[in-house]
Amino acid sequence: MAYSIDRYPSADSPRLGAMTLHPVAESVPRARRWFRKFIAPYNPACSIDDCALMISELVTNAILYGRADESWVVRVAWYRVETSLRVEVHNPGFPASVRMRKPDASDAHGRGLLLVDSIADSWHSGPSRFGGTVVSFTMADAWSPDEVFGPVLF
Protein backbone atom coordinates (compact mmCIF):
# COMPACT_ATOMS: atom_id res chain seq x y z
CA MET A 1 0.00 0.00 0.00
CA ALA A 2 1.23 3.48 -0.80
CA TYR A 3 0.16 6.68 0.88
CA SER A 4 1.08 10.33 0.94
CA ILE A 5 0.27 13.17 3.26
CA ASP A 6 0.53 16.92 2.92
CA ARG A 7 2.17 18.25 6.08
CA TYR A 8 1.69 21.94 5.26
CA PRO A 9 -1.81 22.49 3.86
CA SER A 10 -2.69 25.95 2.65
CA ALA A 11 -5.28 27.75 0.56
CA ASP A 12 -3.15 26.90 -2.47
CA SER A 13 -3.06 23.21 -1.50
CA PRO A 14 -6.08 22.25 0.59
CA ARG A 15 -5.29 18.51 0.46
CA LEU A 16 -4.64 17.18 3.95
CA GLY A 17 -3.75 13.64 2.92
CA ALA A 18 -4.09 10.91 0.33
CA MET A 19 -3.52 7.20 -0.09
CA THR A 20 -3.36 4.74 -2.94
CA LEU A 21 -4.71 1.26 -2.26
CA HIS A 22 -4.64 -2.05 -4.07
CA PRO A 23 -8.15 -3.33 -4.95
CA VAL A 24 -8.18 -6.08 -2.31
CA ALA A 25 -10.32 -6.60 0.79
CA GLU A 26 -7.40 -5.82 3.15
CA SER A 27 -7.38 -2.26 1.81
CA VAL A 28 -10.66 -1.41 3.55
CA PRO A 29 -9.33 -1.59 7.13
CA ARG A 30 -6.05 -0.01 5.95
CA ALA A 31 -7.99 2.97 4.57
CA ARG A 32 -9.77 3.45 7.92
CA ARG A 33 -6.55 3.10 9.91
CA TRP A 34 -4.47 5.50 7.77
CA PHE A 35 -7.26 8.07 7.56
CA ARG A 36 -7.61 8.09 11.35
CA LYS A 37 -3.84 8.45 11.80
CA PHE A 38 -3.43 11.31 9.34
CA ILE A 39 -6.58 13.33 10.09
CA ALA A 40 -6.21 13.26 13.91
CA PRO A 41 -3.55 16.02 14.11
CA TYR A 42 -5.97 18.40 12.37
CA ASN A 43 -8.55 17.80 15.12
CA PRO A 44 -11.74 18.13 13.05
CA ALA A 45 -14.98 18.81 14.94
CA CYS A 46 -16.81 16.20 12.86
CA SER A 47 -16.81 12.54 13.89
CA ILE A 48 -13.67 10.73 12.68
CA ASP A 49 -15.53 7.46 13.34
CA ASP A 50 -18.33 8.49 10.98
CA CYS A 51 -15.80 9.49 8.32
CA ALA A 52 -13.93 6.19 8.69
CA LEU A 53 -17.22 4.28 8.31
CA MET A 54 -18.09 6.18 5.13
CA ILE A 55 -14.57 5.67 3.75
CA SER A 56 -14.99 1.93 4.39
CA GLU A 57 -18.21 1.87 2.43
CA LEU A 58 -16.83 3.88 -0.49
CA VAL A 59 -13.54 1.96 -0.71
CA THR A 60 -15.50 -1.30 -0.63
CA ASN A 61 -17.68 -0.07 -3.50
CA ALA A 62 -14.61 1.11 -5.42
CA ILE A 63 -13.01 -2.32 -5.07
CA LEU A 64 -16.21 -4.13 -6.06
CA TYR A 65 -17.13 -1.95 -9.03
CA GLY A 66 -13.82 -0.50 -10.30
CA ARG A 67 -12.60 -2.02 -13.55
CA ALA A 68 -9.49 -1.71 -15.70
CA ASP A 69 -7.74 -3.86 -18.28
CA GLU A 70 -4.40 -3.53 -16.53
CA SER A 71 -3.36 -3.33 -12.89
CA TRP A 72 -5.28 -0.60 -11.06
CA VAL A 73 -5.60 1.18 -7.71
CA VAL A 74 -8.16 2.96 -5.57
CA ARG A 75 -7.27 6.52 -4.61
CA VAL A 76 -8.54 8.23 -1.45
CA ALA A 77 -7.87 11.89 -0.67
CA TRP A 78 -9.18 14.30 1.94
CA TYR A 79 -9.29 18.08 1.79
CA ARG A 80 -10.12 21.10 3.86
CA VAL A 81 -12.55 23.23 1.84
CA GLU A 82 -13.16 26.41 3.86
CA THR A 83 -14.60 24.98 7.10
CA SER A 84 -15.60 21.60 5.63
CA LEU A 85 -13.87 18.25 5.25
CA ARG A 86 -14.27 16.63 1.82
CA VAL A 87 -13.21 13.03 1.20
CA GLU A 88 -12.91 11.60 -2.33
CA VAL A 89 -12.64 7.95 -3.40
CA HIS A 90 -11.57 7.31 -7.00
CA ASN A 91 -11.77 4.04 -8.92
CA PRO A 92 -10.96 3.27 -12.58
CA GLY A 93 -13.17 2.15 -15.39
CA PHE A 94 -15.97 3.78 -17.31
CA PRO A 95 -17.58 6.51 -15.16
CA ALA A 96 -20.38 4.70 -13.40
CA SER A 97 -23.86 5.96 -12.77
CA VAL A 98 -23.65 5.77 -8.99
CA ARG A 99 -27.01 5.63 -7.27
CA MET A 100 -28.48 4.69 -3.94
CA ARG A 101 -30.26 1.37 -3.88
CA LYS A 102 -33.31 0.46 -1.89
CA PRO A 103 -32.39 -3.02 -0.68
CA ASP A 104 -34.90 -5.41 0.80
CA ALA A 105 -34.42 -6.37 4.45
CA SER A 106 -33.01 -9.72 3.33
CA ASP A 107 -30.43 -8.22 0.91
CA ALA A 108 -26.85 -8.65 2.11
CA HIS A 109 -25.54 -5.62 0.17
CA GLY A 110 -26.64 -2.23 -1.09
CA ARG A 111 -26.64 -0.03 2.01
CA GLY A 112 -23.31 1.80 1.62
CA LEU A 113 -24.59 4.93 -0.07
CA LEU A 114 -27.63 4.97 2.22
CA LEU A 115 -25.19 5.21 5.14
CA VAL A 116 -23.19 7.94 3.42
CA ASP A 117 -26.37 9.84 2.59
CA SER A 118 -27.60 9.64 6.18
CA ILE A 119 -24.29 10.67 7.82
CA ALA A 120 -22.61 13.15 5.47
CA ASP A 121 -23.85 16.69 4.96
CA SER A 122 -23.65 16.02 1.22
CA TRP A 123 -22.21 13.53 -1.26
CA HIS A 124 -21.49 13.55 -4.97
CA SER A 125 -20.45 11.17 -7.73
CA GLY A 126 -19.14 11.79 -11.21
CA PRO A 127 -16.19 11.31 -13.54
CA SER A 128 -12.82 11.15 -11.79
CA ARG A 129 -9.94 13.36 -12.90
CA PHE A 130 -7.93 10.11 -13.01
CA GLY A 131 -10.46 8.46 -15.33
CA GLY A 132 -13.24 6.31 -13.96
CA THR A 133 -15.51 7.38 -11.12
CA VAL A 134 -15.18 9.50 -8.01
CA VAL A 135 -17.58 9.44 -5.08
CA SER A 136 -17.06 12.10 -2.43
CA PHE A 137 -18.69 13.22 0.78
CA THR A 138 -18.55 16.45 2.75
CA MET A 139 -18.71 17.03 6.47
CA ALA A 140 -19.66 20.68 7.04
CA ASP A 141 -18.30 22.73 9.94
CA ALA A 142 -15.34 20.43 10.55
CA TRP A 143 -13.30 23.47 11.56
CA SER A 144 -13.94 26.95 12.84
CA PRO A 145 -13.66 29.64 10.13
CA ASP A 146 -10.92 31.42 12.08
CA GLU A 147 -8.88 28.24 12.69
CA VAL A 148 -5.62 28.37 10.75
CA PHE A 149 -3.54 25.28 10.04
CA GLY A 150 0.14 25.39 10.76
CA PRO A 151 2.75 22.74 10.18
CA VAL A 152 1.74 19.31 11.43
CA LEU A 153 4.53 17.37 13.03
CA PHE A 154 4.42 13.62 13.53
Side-chain angles (χ1 to χ4, degrees), residues 28 31-33 35-36 47-58 137:
V28 176
R32 285 193 305 266
R33 193 169 45 251
F35 173 78
R36 285 175 192 277
S47 169
I48 293 174
D49 290 339
D50 285 351
C51 292
L53 173 63
M54 292 186 287
I55 288 170
S56 292
E57 294 298 331
L58 296 182
F137 65 84

Side-chain angles (χ1 to χ4, degrees), residues 72-122:
W72 58 279
V73 294
V74 174
R75 291 180 171 90
V76 182
W78 48 100
Y79 302 82
R80 179 177 175 165
V81 180
E82 297 176 0
T83 61
S84 298
L85 171 67
R86 185 181 79 232
V87 177
E88 298 178 350
V89 178
H90 301 261
N91 64 281
F94 187 75
S97 174
V98 176
R99 62 181 173 77
M100 281 193 300
R101 293 176 39 192
K102 294 182 178 158
D104 292 329
S106 60
D107 289 343
H109 302 285
R111 292 173 182 79
L113 284 177
L114 287 171
L115 275 169
V116 172
D117 187 62
S118 68
I119 297 170
D121 290 297
S122 64

Side-chain angles (χ1 to χ4, degrees), residues 14 16 42-46 79-86 121 138-149:
L16 302 178
Y42 297 107
N43 198 26
C46 60
Y79 302 82
R80 179 177 175 165
V81 180
E82 297 176 0
T83 61
S84 298
L85 171 67
R86 185 181 79 232
D121 290 297
T138 300
M139 299 296 279
D141 302 322
W143 293 280
S144 167
D146 55 316
E147 189 173 350
V148 177
F149 286 159

